[in-house]
Amino acid sequence: MDDVDSETSRDACEFWDDVVNIPRAGTCALQRCASTTISSREKLDREEQALRDTMEVMRYDFENEESALYGMIQALRERRAHENDMIARSIVTIRSRRNSLAPVMRLPPEILSRIFIFHVQVEERWLKAALTSTHVCRQWRQIGIDCPGLWSRIDINHCRSEVITAIIDRSRQWP
């Protein structure tokens, strides 16, 4: 059996040498080609692994950079929200100061309360009139909420239970 294998191997080497016209020099061209193919394959495997390792390092670096960028974006969004909040507060302050310069704002709260009560009494839709009076500015809202006479009427047929409860609380047992 060994003789057949070695004979077949020798025939293959001679055939290959004849095909490529390489003179024999100890090993046949097929064996040289096979060893070259193996070493080339090992070299390619090493190159592939090096590229995979490089890819993994780059992926890790990109993930870290991406995470840092998301952190910076979040910080910028928080800063923008904070600055928008500060601007909104400044606008409210300016409007409040501007409103305080109006002549009607110089009236004492007792007079404004009487005006609110009169307005509610002459209006057919008294609840809408009361709510309108309390939605002009913060000062009028506080005066209106603190005025029990403004909340002395209840229309249980047209109000939700939460509204009725709020009206009763604000009326403070006003007749």
Side-chain angles (χ1 to χ4, degrees), residues 80-155:
R80 181 181 63 192
H82 175 72
E83 289 178 5
N84 285 345
D85 186 49
M86 296 301 291
I87 291 169
R89 288 181 188 187
S90 296
I91 289 171
V92 167
T93 301
I94 288 170
R95 285 181 178 171
S96 180
R97 286 181 186 165
R98 184 186 64 212
N99 291 344
S100 69
L101 298 175
V104 72
M105 298 307 281
R106 290 188 224 131
L107 292 174
E110 298 79 19
I111 301 293
L112 282 173
S113 295
R114 292 239 184 230
I115 293 171
F116 293 164
I117 291 170
F118 177 75
H119 182 222
V120 167
Q121 289 173 348
V122 297
E123 283 291 325
E124 187 175 313
R125 298 179 65 190
W126 70 272
L127 183 57
K128 183 177 180 184
L131 292 174
T132 302
S133 299
T134 61
H135 285 85
V136 172
C137 65
R138 262 186 274 148
Q139 182 182 358
W140 283 25
R141 179 171 181 76
Q142 196 58 51
I143 293 169
I145 289 173
D146 291 342
C147 176
L150 192 60
W151 309 102
S152 62
R153 296 170 60 186
I154 299 177
D155 186 359

Side-chain angles (χ1 to χ4, degrees), residues 22-38:
I22 298 176
R24 278 190 135 182
T27 62
C28 76
L30 184 60
Q31 290 170 335
R32 284 192 305 275
C33 183
S35 69
T36 303
T37 302
I38 291 171

